[in-house]
Amino acid sequence: MNTLLSVEDLTVEFKVSNGKFKAPDGVSFKILENECVGMVGESGSGKSVTALAIMGLVPKPQGKIVKGRIIFEGKDLLKFNNHPRGTKISMVFQNPLNSLNPNMKIGKQLSEVLEQHYGMSYKEAIGKVTAMMKQLGIPEPEEMIERYPFEYSGGMRQRAMIAMAMLCHPKLLIADEPTTALDVTIQAQIIQLFKKLKLESKTSIFFISHDLSVVSQIADRVIVMYAGKICEISKTEEIFEKPLHPYTAGLISSIPDMKERKTKLRSIEGSVPSLIDPPAGCRFHPRCSQKMPLCMEKEPDDFSVNDRIVKCWLYKGVYQ
Ligand SMILES: Nc1ncnc2c1ncn2[C@@H]1O[C@H](COP(=O)(O)OP(=O)(O)OP(=O)(O)O)[C@@H](O)[C@H]1O
Ligand SMILES: [Mg+2]
């Protein structure tokens, strides 16, 4: 399959009151056409900033892309004046209320996207909006277009946001924690909706969550982030069958197993390091049960085998 997006050595530097740090820090990955790539990692690991960098929306003035390339359909988005945001690349966020105008009916807000990008009349646009809302499981869309965001439930608002993001049939849909703010039942419905989108549209999906069990339900491949760096990229089935990085193994063993509720959950001991003054060598070493002297001194190389990538000294000499 062809590569749709190639992120190469992406580094974003933040200047804050007590110093500066990088997150993401030298991150590289690809998203293929029709592929769903998931990204997981604890809070502050750089997932949202990676997504914002792809969207050309790194928060200024605190944040700045200091290194890297983001190649989309052969063009470097960092050098391209005409960013395809909202058309070929669109994004849904954790809290749809932040992205919706509270004083405008949903139908009007969504139809404006088509009016602005394609010069459609309201009548034509609203027809497409209603059809998209129906496709995304919003019941009675003819009536729902007349309602305001506050009249929607959380789940329906997120469906409306996904409809908005899909209106221009983007090549890439970025979803940053789209289910995190929802309760468990609604969360499951939205995950089902992403699965349906994956099957029925040609859109590639970049799906971000701190929850590996959520990501694993829809992603073909998973990127695991830790403290601004990628520690592993593997196919979803492989990551569960045999996690390579000790951090990935820790994440998997901390997923509650519904069948074995009695088993005590193992969480990874310790906490995420400060990015301003990160540990030397491998950033995960203070929490790693398999650390070796080398891990405290030198940042691990990326080792790869059969399309899997792992940034860990355990694989030195095992993988190339
Ligand atoms: N506007 C900003 N100003 C200063 N620092 C920021 C800003 N936005 C993000 N950061 C910092 O950049 C780092 C990466 O943040 P990011 O939002 O990408 O994390 P994340 O992996 O998405 O975490 P979460 O799971 O909490 O959403 C964090 O340390 C965060 O505090
Ligand atoms: Mg985030």
Side-chain angles (χ1 to χ4, degrees):
M1 258 192 286
N2 294 328
T3 300
L4 177 69
L5 178 87
S6 176
V7 173
E8 298 167 10
D9 201 18
L10 179 66
T11 307
V12 179
E13 187 173 87
F14 283 95
K15 287 201 172 84
V16 288
S17 55
N18 51 341
K20 55 184 182 179
F21 63 88
K22 290 171 184 153
D25 187 355
V27 156
S28 303
F29 63 93
K30 283 183 171 38
I31 298 177
L32 309 180
E33 284 177 357
N34 287 316
E35 187 186 32
C36 176
V37 172
M39 182 176 262
V40 290
E42 280 163 286
S43 189
S45 54
K47 307 180 298 295
S48 294
V49 176
T50 303
L52 291 172
I54 298 169
M55 287 294 281
L57 297 173
V58 166
K60 282 181 191 156
Q62 307 94 324
K64 189 174 178 230
I65 298 178
V66 289
K67 218 163 48 160
R69 305 200 302 163
I70 301 176
I71 313 286
F72 177 77
E73 292 189 319
K75 290 196 187 86
D76 186 351
L77 294 180
L78 302 181
K79 292 188 182 142
F80 195 49
N81 290 330
N82 203 1
H83 195 289
R85 183 187 317 125
T87 50
K88 286 186 172 181
I89 307 182
S90 58
M91 183 158 170
V92 289
F93 299 88
Q94 180 171 337
N95 187 354
L97 277 183
N98 294 343
S99 320
L100 289 165
N101 178 342
N103 303 316
M104 201 193 272
K105 288 177 181 173
I106 293 277
K108 179 86 189 112
Q109 296 194 47
L110 269 64
S111 62
E112 274 191 353
V113 173
L114 293 170
E115 289 168 44
Q116 279 166 10
H117 286 301
Y118 299 117
M120 280 184 199
S121 67
Y122 175 75
K123 206 174 159 215
E124 192 184 352
I126 202 73
K128 294 208 185 300
V129 165
T130 326
M132 182 59 80
M133 285 170 74
K134 194 168 185 179
Q135 198 187 330
L136 295 186
I138 298 179
E140 300 179 55
E142 289 82 1
E143 196 192 302
M144 293 296 274
I145 52 172
E146 299 299 333
R147 297 197 187 168
Y148 291 90
F150 74 87
E151 299 177 283
Y152 274 58
S153 67
M156 283 304 148
R157 265 197 300 263
Q158 197 54 293
R159 283 178 198 260
M161 284 311 300
I162 299 168
M164 190 158 162
M166 289 302 290
L167 278 173
C168 296
H169 301 286
K171 290 275 179 101
L172 177 65
L173 173 65
I174 303 175
D176 188 2
E177 309 265 6
T179 65
T180 307
L182 305 171
D183 68 47
V184 179
T185 333
I186 310 296
Q187 188 170 22
Q189 290 170 7
I190 300 293
I191 293 170
Q192 284 308 319
L193 183 62
F194 274 99
K195 282 188 181 171
K196 181 172 134 91
L197 273 182
K198 197 177 134 189
L199 287 176
E200 294 175 3
S201 73
K202 289 201 161 63
T203 301
S204 299
I205 303 174
F206 181 39
F207 191 103
I208 296 172
S209 174
H210 61 278
D211 187 339
L212 180 57
S213 61
V214 168
V215 165
S216 66
Q217 292 179 54
I218 69 151
D220 301 305
R221 285 188 302 137
V222 178
I223 301 170
V224 182
M225 294 277 287
Y226 186 79
K229 306 251 182 201
I230 290 178
C231 33
E232 174 164 357
I233 306 180
S234 291
K235 287 203 182 94
T236 308
E237 350 37 291
E238 289 173 339
I239 226 166
F240 281 93
E241 218 170 88
K242 184 177 183 275
L244 297 177
H245 200 285
Y247 178 59
T248 317
L251 282 182
I252 290 175
S253 66
S254 58
I255 295 178
D257 186 338
M258 299 310 278
K259 284 180 228 129
E260 299 170 48
R261 277 175 188 228
K262 287 185 198 122
T263 337
K264 209 169 154 234
L265 273 191
R266 275 194 295 145
S267 63
I268 311 167
E269 277 186 31
S271 54
V272 184
S274 148
L275 290 172
I276 294 178
D277 185 20
C282 172
R283 290 184 178 180
F284 186 61
H285 89 249
R287 298 171 81 183
C288 185
S289 58
Q290 300 182 66
K291 63 173 170 280
M292 306 174 285
L294 179 61
C295 309
M296 295 173 229
E297 287 157 22
K298 199 162 174 252
E299 182 178 336
D301 294 333
D302 290 338
F303 299 100
S304 71
V305 67
N306 300 337
D307 292 340
R308 299 183 76 171
I309 293 172
V310 58
K311 193 178 186 61
C312 172
W313 286 125
L314 286 174
Y315 298 89
K316 184 175 190 269
V318 180
Y319 294 167
Q320 291 309 307

